[in-house]
Amino acid sequence: MASPLPPTPVGVRVRVPAKINLALKVGPRRADGYHPLATVYHAVALYDEVLALWAEPDEFEVAVIGEGAGVVPLDDTNLAVRAARLLARTHGPYDSLGASLSLRKAIPVAAGLAGGSADGAGALLACASLWDLDVSPEALRALAAELGSDVPFALLGGTAVGSGRGEEVVPALARGTYHWVLGFGHGGLSTPAVYRRFDELTPQPVNPEVPDELMNALRTGDPRALGAALVNDLQPAALDLRPQLRQVLEAGLEYGAVGALISGSGPTAAFLAASEPAAIDLAVALSADGLCREVRRASGPVTGARLVI
Ligand code: ATP
């Protein structure tokens, strides 16, 4: 008789997409330090993976490989660890739960693509499944909002309108697939630093609203209309802190992009192409001129955090 197989670690794997903001309208800083936002999130096919394995009770650890792994914190400030601990504390027999998390990052760190938020959302879903917790999607969304403004969208994915500080998300009526080219910057940009510069550059911000033009463009599915409607109130602040980004945006438009903007707080430049072949040409041209650290294509929208079977 064949000898029994060695025990395999029981693990759960989740993949979570990056986001870009098709519109990011920013209002005046609130008393609690946050800025009210009206944003349109769009999930693109660039994924981090979160693997969760059982660990000893009350033991939470994380290992990171891939894009930017060297600068991701490995302590309790890692968003994936915070997510696992929060879930255990609020929905589990806390004393008996632990998790060993492994992150495989493809989303660059501090790039305006919400990579940390993606990992937080991934850890919530992976641990809920690993521990077999009875937690509703609404409860998971509430925990996500507690973890960070972009985390609820990372669970949801697709194209969605975000309000509040970005944590209130509602799916948007959107048609078609869009072909994006992402230009990664050399080094990250700190989100708080970009907001501080926004405050200095914008003495009287108005209450934020998503432009009708953008919502109409999404309903038609026409990339040229969407490209013309892209807007980011944080872009002047990001360009002020990283002036060479202006050159990157201009280069992408010259190479045929139908729209270009800085994603979130930057420094990633997102270019919209008219078609998939146009995106391939654009990516080749941008890679060749060497202005970006790396150039990647990613289509959207894609679904949010999902278990990988
Ligand atoms: P934001 O959501 O603030 O706009 P971003 O997309 O620009 O962020 P992230 O990649 O989420 O940037 O990283 C922001 C910071 O979060 C990093 O500098 C890092 O110190 C911290 N961080 C915590 N956990 C993670 C994680 N799992 N992956 C990446 N960064 C993390």
Side-chain angles (χ1 to χ4, degrees):
M1 211 173 98
S3 57
L5 289 170
T8 49
V10 180
V12 175
R13 194 182 297 275
V14 168
R15 69 175 199 169
V16 199
K19 63 82 187 162
I20 56 182
N21 301 84
L22 306 180
L24 181 52
K25 302 295 293 175
V26 182
R29 193 169 177 272
R30 306 190 309 209
D32 65 3
Y34 287 103
H35 291 76
L37 302 182
T39 188
V40 179
Y41 292 110
H42 183 72
V44 294
L46 173 71
Y47 298 96
D48 275 5
E49 262 189 27
V50 180
L51 171 69
L53 300 169
W54 277 96
E56 293 298 313
D58 200 27
E59 243 186 58
F60 293 85
E61 56 185 24
V62 65
V64 185
I65 59 167
E67 173 74 39
V71 293
V72 174
L74 298 177
D75 57 13
D76 278 3
T77 64
N78 189 296
L79 259 158
V81 177
R82 283 182 48 209
R85 282 196 181 277
L86 178 66
L87 181 67
R89 195 165 60 241
T90 52
H91 288 81
Y94 186 53
D95 294 348
S96 62
L97 297 176
S100 171
L101 303 167
S102 304
L103 310 181
R104 180 191 292 272
K105 291 194 69 74
I107 308 173
V109 179
L113 298 169
S117 303
D119 300 342
L124 281 179
L125 190 61
C127 290
S129 168
L130 179 77
W131 297 329
D132 198 21
L133 299 180
D134 187 16
V135 47
S136 67
E138 295 72 41
L140 220 50
R141 267 200 292 280
L143 295 182
E146 204 175 319
L147 284 167
S149 306
D150 294 341
V151 186
F153 176 72
L155 282 177
L156 179 69
T159 304
V161 175
S163 57
R165 51 183 170 77
E167 83 285 14
E168 293 162 28
V169 283
V170 178
L173 264 182
R175 180 173 290 155
T177 295
Y178 297 97
H179 301 281
W180 298 92
V181 174
L182 305 177
F184 300 156
H186 297 274
L189 263 178
S190 144
T191 303
V194 174
Y195 272 102
R196 273 197 301 277
R197 200 75 193 103
F198 168 84
D199 290 336
E200 288 160 6
L201 293 174
T202 324
Q204 283 179 319
V206 292
N207 277 334
E209 275 179 44
V210 169
D212 287 342
E213 189 196 353
L214 187 117
M215 299 312 288
N216 291 338
L218 281 171
R219 278 192 281 271
T220 66
D222 172 9
R224 288 179 196 280
L226 181 61
L230 299 172
V231 59
N232 180 0
D233 282 353
L234 293 182
Q235 186 163 305
L239 295 184
D240 190 69
L241 294 172
R242 198 65 74 76
Q244 61 270 41
L245 287 177
R246 197 180 297 278
Q247 221 182 324
V248 175
L249 292 176
E250 283 166 5
L253 290 168
E254 215 168 280
Y255 297 140
V258 296
L261 89 171
I262 297 300
S263 178
S265 53
T268 302
F271 301 98
L272 181 57
S275 65
E276 190 168 14
I280 294 170
D281 290 346
L282 176 57
V284 169
L286 265 178
S287 299
D289 84 5
L291 283 170
C292 302
R293 177 174 62 80
E294 196 185 328
V295 174
R296 289 283 301 265
R297 284 188 299 119
S299 58
V302 295
T303 53
R306 289 293 177 275
L307 298 182
V308 180
I309 311 297

